[in-house]
Amino acid sequence: MDDTRNMTSSEKQMFSNDDSQRGKVVLAATPIGNISDASDRLKTLLATADIVAAEDTRRLYDLANRLQIHVNGRIVAYHDHNERDKSDSLLDDVENGATILVVSDAGMPTINDPGLAIVRRAIARQLPVTCAPGPSAVLDALALSGLPTDRFCYEGFVPRKRSEQLKKFRELQYETRTIVFYETPQRIAQTMKSLLEIFPANRPMALARELTKNYEEVRRSTISGIADSVEQDPPRGEIVLVIQGASEQEIHHISSALSIEELARLSLAYANDNHTRLKDAIAQILQDHPYPDGSLANKKTVYQTALEIKEL
Ligand code: SAM
């Protein structure tokens, strides 16, 4: 049976990936270091697209030179600052039958790079948009990290400001999926300090740098191990951080965090059973039941609550 019978023509076009067919947007991944990762499809598209929308036109010429390809189409600058304004006029050309190739400086467009604006506008205008996939540092680092790949979340660049770093890491403290961040050599030392403040020091993580290049390196250790290595041998070049998600044990720890009333009741029972002073019993119970971040409940509040329970 023909499943495409009830589709509009633009929906049907999504199933047709003949690059000689005109009138569409193609997002194409470019090498993230190793020029040999350029696909045949990328090379053909660079030579044949009517318009190439490039994040940086000089980088595009450099790529084309290295691939020994002549870009025959019109080249336009398409970057973070103009992508919203440019998208509709480029899509007018698509409507008139042009093929627009969108490329960023390296890797997959839209992944911390321009491209999303034209995808959204193409969808809104029901114009065909497709992808010539290829290198992207997220997947490369994730696959090489040795950490679980079945579920992961990509968080873009680690925030620059320390307060925002801590906020972001707190939000992700109990994320169970593997977490991937982009990072720069200038900020990695500070980032490792912030990670150590929030995450357990023994959480497995990997630091991948200069992927696909001559000095490719993947450091696999724990958060504290990577922090030490960053201090002793500061990593240069482009960096991806991959952090294992929270273990079931860590999650269990959070869900088993006791309320003040439960802590007070436990303390009363402990004092009774062991013939100790209530204050000493509370100190012991709080030590035995820390909060997930390692801190303890407030002694005075637990004491006050225990007295109230006793009076009932
Ligand atoms: N669109 C790109 C992609 O698909 O990977 C990402 C662009 S983002 C502006 C650049 C960041 O990606 C770098 O700062 C670095 O964190 C990461 N990156 C890019 N190339 C890399 C490489 N060869 N090795 C490690 N990280 C890389």
Side-chain angles (χ1 to χ4, degrees), residues 107-308:
M108 193 66 213
T110 80
I111 306 299
N112 271 96
D113 267 345
L116 184 58
I118 198 164
V119 172
R120 287 193 165 157
R121 289 301 300 147
I123 295 167
R125 291 174 60 169
Q126 300 196 322
L127 291 168
V129 51
T130 187
C131 195
S136 186
V138 192
L139 289 186
D140 191 336
L142 176 70
L144 288 178
S145 69
L147 298 173
T149 55
D150 50 346
R151 294 169 70 239
F152 71 95
C153 60
Y154 167 61
E155 289 288 329
F157 279 97
V158 174
R160 282 164 191 258
K161 288 188 184 159
R162 191 171 139 68
S163 59
E164 283 165 22
Q165 284 186 353
L166 294 174
K167 183 166 172 273
K168 169 62 76 183
F169 294 159
R170 269 193 206 103
E171 279 166 22
L172 291 168
Q173 201 177 359
Y174 302 115
E175 171 60 65
T176 55
R177 295 169 296 176
T178 300
I179 307 162
V180 185
F181 278 112
Y182 282 169
E183 186 49 292
T184 63
Q186 298 75 31
R187 297 202 292 266
I188 180 68
Q190 172 59 57
T191 291
M192 292 314 303
K193 281 189 194 143
S194 300
L195 280 174
L196 271 176
E197 269 186 50
I198 308 290
F199 289 86
N202 63 355
R203 181 82 77 83
M205 84 168 277
L207 181 156
R209 67 176 197 97
E210 296 293 80
L211 293 166
T212 78
K213 303 182 195 175
N214 286 344
Y215 295 103
E216 173 175 296
E217 179 192 20
V218 184
R219 303 182 188 181
R220 302 175 185 89
S221 180
T222 56
I223 294 185
S224 65
I226 296 289
D228 288 347
S229 99
V230 163
E231 207 176 303
Q232 282 157 23
D233 180 13
R236 292 198 214 136
E238 301 195 274
I239 298 173
V240 185
L241 301 177
V242 188
I243 303 165
Q244 185 162 305
S247 63
E248 272 186 24
Q249 219 181 357
E250 282 175 58
I251 298 298
H252 176 73
H253 206 50
I254 322 166
S255 58
S256 63
L258 298 178
S259 68
I260 296 289
E261 188 179 323
E262 287 167 322
L263 290 168
R265 287 186 190 283
L266 273 182
S267 303
L268 284 167
Y270 185 93
N272 194 38
D273 293 348
N274 297 285
H275 307 290
T276 57
R277 291 190 314 155
L278 181 57
K279 276 190 180 166
D280 296 334
I282 289 174
Q284 185 60 50
I285 291 296
L286 297 196
Q287 281 298 332
D288 292 348
H289 298 86
Y291 285 138
D293 64 359
S295 67
L296 303 183
N298 183 283
K299 266 188 205 167
K300 277 190 186 161
T301 321
V302 177
Y303 187 74
Q304 200 56 44
T305 309
L307 293 184
E308 285 165 16

